[in-house]
Coordinates of all heavy atoms in Angstrom, one line a residue:
I1 N 0.9 -1.2 0.0 CA 0.0 0.0 0.0 C 0.9 1.2 0.0 O 1.6 1.5 1.0 CB -0.9 0.0 1.2 CG1 -1.8 -1.2 1.2 CG2 -1.8 1.3 1.2 CD1 -2.7 -1.3 2.4
N2 N 0.9 1.9 -1.1 CA 1.8 3.1 -1.3 C 1.1 4.4 -1.2 O 1.7 5.5 -1.4 CB 2.5 3.0 -2.7 CG 3.3 1.7 -2.8 OD1 4.0 1.4 -1.9 ND2 3.2 1.1 -4.0
E3 N -0.2 4.4 -0.8 CA -0.9 5.6 -0.7 C -2.0 5.4 0.4 O -2.4 4.3 0.8 CB -1.6 6.0 -2.0 CG -2.5 4.9 -2.6 CD -3.0 5.3 -4.0 OE1 -3.6 6.3 -4.1 OE2 -2.7 4.5 -4.9
E4 N -2.5 6.5 0.9 CA -3.5 6.4 2.0 C -4.9 6.5 1.4 O -5.2 7.4 0.7 CB -3.3 7.6 3.0 CG -4.1 7.4 4.2 CD -3.7 8.4 5.3 OE1 -2.6 8.8 5.4 OE2 -4.6 8.8 6.1
L5 N -5.7 5.5 1.7 CA -7.0 5.4 1.2 C -8.0 5.3 2.4 O -7.8 4.5 3.3 CB -7.2 4.2 0.3 CG -6.4 4.2 -1.0 CD1 -6.5 2.8 -1.7 CD2 -7.0 5.2 -2.0
E6 N -9.0 6.2 2.4 CA -9.9 6.3 3.5 C -10.7 5.0 3.7 O -11.2 4.7 4.8 CB -10.8 7.5 3.4 CG -10.1 8.9 3.5 CD -11.0 10.0 3.5 OE1 -12.2 9.8 3.2 OE2 -10.6 11.2 3.7
N7 N -11.0 4.3 2.6 CA -11.9 3.2 2.6 C -11.1 1.8 2.6 O -11.7 0.8 2.2 CB -12.9 3.2 1.6 CG -12.3 3.3 0.2 OD1 -11.2 3.7 0.0 ND2 -13.1 3.0 -0.8
I8 N -9.9 1.8 3.1 CA -9.1 0.6 3.3 C -8.6 0.6 4.8 O -8.0 1.6 5.2 CB -8.0 0.4 2.3 CG1 -8.5 -0.1 1.0 CG2 -7.0 -0.6 2.9 CD1 -7.4 -0.5 0.0
E9 N -8.9 -0.4 5.5 CA -8.5 -0.6 6.9 C -7.7 -1.9 7.0 O -7.9 -2.8 6.2 CB -9.7 -0.6 7.8 CG -10.5 0.7 7.8 CD -11.8 0.6 8.6 OE1 -11.9 -0.4 9.4 OE2 -12.6 1.5 8.6
I10 N -6.8 -2.0 8.0 CA -6.0 -3.2 8.2 C -6.3 -3.6 9.7 O -6.2 -2.8 10.6 CB -4.5 -2.9 8.0 CG1 -4.3 -2.5 6.6 CG2 -3.7 -4.2 8.3 CD1 -2.8 -2.1 6.3
V11 N -6.5 -4.9 9.8 CA -6.6 -5.5 11.2 C -5.5 -6.5 11.3 O -5.6 -7.5 10.5 CB -8.0 -6.1 11.4 CG1 -8.0 -6.8 12.8 CG2 -9.1 -5.1 11.4
H12 N -4.6 -6.3 12.2 CA -3.5 -7.3 12.3 C -3.9 -8.6 12.9 O -4.6 -8.7 13.8 CB -2.4 -6.6 13.1 CG -1.2 -7.6 13.4 ND1 -0.3 -7.8 12.4 CD2 -0.8 -8.3 14.5 CE1 0.6 -8.7 12.9 NE2 0.3 -9.0 14.1
T13 N -3.4 -9.7 12.3 CA -3.6 -11.0 12.8 C -2.3 -11.8 12.8 O -1.4 -11.5 12.0 CB -4.6 -11.8 11.9 OG1 -4.0 -12.0 10.6 CG2 -5.9 -11.1 11.8
D14 N -2.1 -12.7 13.8 CA -0.8 -13.4 13.9 C -0.8 -14.7 13.2 O 0.3 -15.2 13.0 CB -0.5 -13.6 15.4 CG -0.3 -12.3 16.2 OD1 0.5 -11.4 15.6 OD2 -0.9 -12.1 17.3
E15 N -1.9 -15.2 12.9 CA -2.0 -16.6 12.3 C -2.6 -16.6 10.9 O -3.4 -15.6 10.6 CB -2.7 -17.5 13.2 CG -2.1 -17.8 14.5 CD -2.9 -18.7 15.4 OE1 -4.0 -18.4 15.7 OE2 -2.4 -19.9 15.6
K16 N -2.4 -17.6 10.1 CA -3.2 -17.8 8.9 C -3.5 -19.3 8.7 O -2.8 -20.2 9.3 CB -2.3 -17.3 7.7 CG -1.0 -18.1 7.4 CD -0.4 -17.7 6.1 CE -1.1 -18.2 4.9 NZ -0.4 -18.0 3.7
I17 N -4.5 -19.6 8.0 CA -4.9 -21.0 7.7 C -4.2 -21.4 6.4 O -4.4 -20.8 5.4 CB -6.4 -21.1 7.7 CG1 -7.0 -20.9 9.0 CG2 -6.8 -22.5 7.2 CD1 -8.5 -20.9 9.1
E18 N -3.4 -22.5 6.5 CA -2.7 -23.0 5.3 C -3.6 -23.8 4.5 O -4.6 -24.3 4.9 CB -1.5 -23.8 5.8 CG -0.5 -23.0 6.7 CD 0.2 -21.9 6.1 OE1 0.2 -21.8 4.8 OE2 0.8 -21.1 6.8
S19 N -3.2 -24.0 3.2 CA -4.0 -24.8 2.3 C -4.2 -26.2 2.7 O -5.2 -26.9 2.4 CB -3.4 -24.7 0.9 OG -2.1 -25.2 0.9
E20 N -3.1 -26.8 3.4 CA -3.2 -28.2 3.8 C -3.8 -28.4 5.1 O -4.0 -29.5 5.6 CB -1.8 -28.8 3.8 CG -0.8 -28.2 4.8 CD -0.1 -26.9 4.4 OE1 -0.5 -26.4 3.3 OE2 0.9 -26.5 5.1
D21 N -4.2 -27.3 5.8 CA -4.8 -27.5 7.2 C -6.2 -28.2 7.1 O -7.0 -28.0 6.1 CB -5.0 -26.1 7.8 CG -3.7 -25.5 8.4 OD1 -2.7 -26.3 8.4 OD2 -3.7 -24.3 8.7
D22 N -6.5 -28.9 8.1 CA -7.8 -29.5 8.2 C -8.8 -28.4 8.5 O -8.7 -27.6 9.4 CB -7.9 -30.5 9.4 CG -9.3 -31.1 9.6 OD1 -9.6 -32.0 8.9 OD2 -10.0 -30.5 10.5
P23 N -9.9 -28.3 7.6 CA -10.8 -27.2 7.7 C -11.4 -26.9 9.1 O -11.3 -25.8 9.6 CB -11.9 -27.5 6.7 CG -11.2 -28.4 5.7 CD -10.2 -29.2 6.5
V24 N -12.1 -27.8 9.6 CA -12.8 -27.6 10.9 C -11.9 -27.4 12.0 O -12.0 -26.5 12.9 CB -13.8 -28.7 11.2 CG1 -14.5 -28.5 12.5 CG2 -14.9 -28.8 10.1
R25 N -10.9 -28.3 12.1 CA -9.9 -28.2 13.2 C -9.1 -26.9 13.2 O -8.9 -26.3 14.2 CB -8.9 -29.4 13.1 CG -7.9 -29.5 14.2 CD -7.1 -30.7 14.1 NE -7.9 -31.9 14.0 CZ -7.4 -33.1 13.6 NH1 -6.1 -33.2 13.3 NH2 -8.2 -34.2 13.5
S26 N -8.8 -26.4 12.0 CA -8.0 -25.2 11.9 C -8.8 -24.0 12.4 O -8.2 -23.1 13.0 CB -7.6 -24.9 10.4 OG -8.7 -24.8 9.5
I27 N -10.1 -23.9 12.0 CA -10.8 -22.7 12.5 C -11.1 -22.7 14.0 O -11.4 -21.7 14.6 CB -12.2 -22.5 11.7 CG1 -13.2 -23.6 12.0 CG2 -11.9 -22.4 10.2 CD1 -14.6 -23.3 11.5
R28 N -11.1 -23.9 14.6 CA -11.3 -24.0 16.0 C -10.0 -23.8 16.8 O -10.0 -23.3 17.9 CB -11.9 -25.4 16.3 CG -13.3 -25.5 15.9 CD -13.9 -26.9 16.2 NE -15.3 -27.0 15.9 CZ -16.0 -28.1 15.8 NH1 -15.4 -29.3 15.9 NH2 -17.3 -28.1 15.5
R29 N -8.9 -24.2 16.2 CA -7.6 -24.0 16.9 C -6.9 -22.7 16.6 O -6.2 -22.2 17.5 CB -6.7 -25.2 16.5 CG -7.2 -26.5 17.1 CD -6.2 -27.6 16.8 NE -6.6 -28.9 17.4 CZ -5.9 -30.0 17.3 NH1 -4.7 -30.1 16.6 NH2 -6.3 -31.1 17.9
K30 N -7.1 -22.2 15.4 CA -6.4 -21.0 15.1 C -7.3 -19.8 15.2 O -7.8 -19.2 14.2 CB -5.8 -21.0 13.6 CG -4.7 -22.1 13.5 CD -4.1 -22.0 12.1 CE -2.9 -23.0 11.9 NZ -2.3 -22.9 10.6
K31 N -7.6 -19.4 16.4 CA -8.6 -18.4 16.7 C -8.1 -17.0 16.2 O -9.0 -16.1 15.9 CB -8.8 -18.3 18.2 CG -9.3 -19.6 18.9 CD -10.7 -19.9 18.5 CE -11.2 -21.1 19.3 NZ -12.6 -21.4 18.9
Q32 N -6.8 -16.8 16.0 CA -6.3 -15.5 15.6 C -5.9 -15.5 14.1 O -5.3 -14.6 13.6 CB -5.1 -15.1 16.4 CG -5.3 -15.0 17.9 CD -6.4 -14.0 18.2 OE1 -6.4 -12.9 17.7 NE2 -7.4 -14.4 19.0
A33 N -6.4 -16.5 13.4 CA -6.1 -16.6 11.9 C -6.9 -15.5 11.2 O -8.0 -15.1 11.6 CB -6.5 -18.0 11.4
S34 N -6.4 -15.0 10.1 CA -7.0 -13.9 9.4 C -8.4 -14.3 8.9 O -9.3 -13.5 9.0 CB -6.1 -13.6 8.2 OG -5.8 -14.7 7.4
M35 N -8.6 -15.5 8.4 CA -9.9 -15.9 8.0 C -10.9 -16.0 9.1 O -12.1 -15.6 9.0 CB -9.8 -17.3 7.2 CG -11.2 -17.8 6.7 SD -11.1 -19.5 6.0 CE -10.0 -19.3 4.7
V36 N -10.5 -16.6 10.2 CA -11.4 -16.7 11.4 C -11.8 -15.4 11.9 O -12.9 -15.2 12.2 CB -10.7 -17.6 12.4 CG1 -11.5 -17.7 13.7 CG2 -10.4 -19.0 11.9
M37 N -10.8 -14.5 12.1 CA -11.1 -13.2 12.6 C -12.0 -12.4 11.7 O -12.9 -11.7 12.1 CB -9.8 -12.4 12.9 CG -9.1 -13.0 14.1 SD -7.6 -12.0 14.5 CE -8.3 -10.5 15.1
A38 N -11.8 -12.5 10.4 CA -12.7 -11.8 9.4 C -14.1 -12.4 9.5 O -15.1 -11.6 9.5 CB -12.1 -12.0 8.0
A39 N -14.2 -13.7 9.6 CA -15.5 -14.3 9.7 C -16.3 -13.9 11.0 O -17.5 -13.6 11.0 CB -15.4 -15.9 9.7
R40 N -15.5 -13.8 12.1 CA -16.1 -13.4 13.4 C -16.6 -12.0 13.3 O -17.6 -11.6 13.9 CB -15.1 -13.6 14.5 CG -15.7 -13.5 15.9 CD -14.7 -13.7 17.0 NE -14.1 -15.0 16.9 CZ -12.7 -15.2 16.8 NH1 -11.9 -14.2 16.8 NH2 -12.3 -16.4 16.7
S41 N -15.9 -11.1 12.6 CA -16.3 -9.7 12.4 C -17.6 -9.6 11.7 O -18.4 -8.7 12.0 CB -15.2 -8.9 11.7 OG -15.2 -9.2 10.3
V42 N -17.9 -10.5 10.8 CA -19.1 -10.5 10.1 C -20.3 -11.0 11.0 O -21.4 -10.5 11.0 CB -19.0 -11.4 8.8 CG1 -20.4 -11.5 8.1 CG2 -18.0 -10.8 7.8
K43 N -20.0 -12.1 11.7 CA -21.0 -12.6 12.7 C -21.4 -11.5 13.7 O -22.6 -11.4 14.0 CB -20.4 -13.8 13.4 CG -21.3 -14.4 14.5 CD -20.7 -15.5 15.2 CE -21.6 -16.0 16.4 NZ -23.0 -16.3 16.0
E44 N -20.4 -10.7 14.1 CA -20.7 -9.7 15.1 C -21.1 -8.4 14.4 O -21.3 -7.4 15.1 CB -19.4 -9.4 15.9 CG -19.0 -10.7 16.8 CD -17.7 -10.5 17.4 OE1 -17.0 -9.5 17.2 OE2 -17.3 -11.4 18.2

């Protein structure tokens, strides 16, 4: 990101779900994964 855009925000996450991860187990164990936190923000 080389410029400031008012309609782009960043939420830092420490984990990510890998392509080889077990789907259900990964979302339950990786609470701080980018996908999980994004999904939780929609639920809330």
Side-chain angles (χ1 to χ4, degrees):
I1 301 178
N2 300 317
E3 56 188 304
E4 190 170 331
L5 296 169
E6 292 183 355
N7 56 339
I8 283 190
E9 300 175 6
I10 301 174
V11 176
H12 176 74
T13 65
D14 293 315
E15 296 179 293
K16 65 172 286 189
I17 293 177
E18 306 290 347
S19 59
E20 66 272 12
D21 283 348
D22 177 83
V24 175
R25 188 176 302 167
S26 63
I27 69 167
R28 287 177 174 167
R29 291 185 175 180
K30 293 185 174 182
K31 302 290 188 182
Q32 300 302 310
S34 52
M35 183 188 295
V36 174
M37 290 184 66
R40 193 178 300 123
S41 75
V42 175
K43 176 181 175 57
E44 295 171 357

